[in-house]
Structures are given as C-alpha cells and as structure tokens.
Amino acid sequence: QLETLEQEEQECLELRPHPTEKTTHIVSHEHGMTVMTTVQEGEAEPQCQGVSYGRAKLRGVLLEGASLLLLRVLARRQTMPPNLVFPAINTEGDLCTSSY
C-alpha cells in the first residue's frame, strides 16, 4: 500500500528578458490533497494558486513518483495490461487521467 505524502516539482525557463520559474507543491492530508502552484516571471511578484481535492476524487490517483515506479515494474514484468488508466494531477494542478 504505497501512498504519496508530499511531492514538489520545479520548472525553470531561462527566457530573456523575463526568466520564469514555476513550483508545484502537493501535500497529502487526512481529507485529501492540496496542490499549491507558484509562478514567478522575472522580477514580478510571484503568483500563487491553490486547490484542494477530497479523498473520494483522488481514489487511485497516480502522481509522478508513483508513475515512474509503476513503469519500472511493468518494464521488469515485460507486460502491459490493456487500457491501463489512472487519475492524475497535471502540471497546472488540475485532475486529469494518465493512460499507459
């Protein structure tokens, strides 16, 4: 029974004259998960956005770390179940699906 407790992802774009940095922080808690996204462009004030999802909506959710682990297990077994789809959270912090 594996569960993601916390995940942080950071992206940096070195575009001149305004480099952009985006950080996504996902934290599990007793009621579900909270996703906080912070975007900073150049010297501007960082823009923060957060959303929480309840446990019912997250049932079976597969985050990035768990996805990598699953891919390694599937590669080792050299098998791929048909129509393997999981709920996931995209880079914008929205619920989506991840298909393999």
Side-chain angles (χ1 to χ4, degrees), residues 23-25 34-39 46-51 92-94:
T23 304
T24 304
H25 192 165
T34 299
V35 180
M36 293 295 299
T37 304
T38 304
V39 177
Q47 302 296 311
C48 299
Q49 180 178 332
V51 64
E92 302 303 317
D94 299 321

Side-chain angles (χ1 to χ4, degrees), residues 58-84:
L58 295 171
R59 187 166 186 190
V61 73
L62 194 65
L63 297 180
E64 186 177 5
S67 177
L68 289 172
L69 188 61
L70 175 64
L71 289 173
R72 288 181 180 171
V73 169
L74 293 173
R76 181 147 177 100
R77 291 185 177 177
Q78 296 182 349
T79 182
M80 179 64 95
N83 303 319
L84 193 58

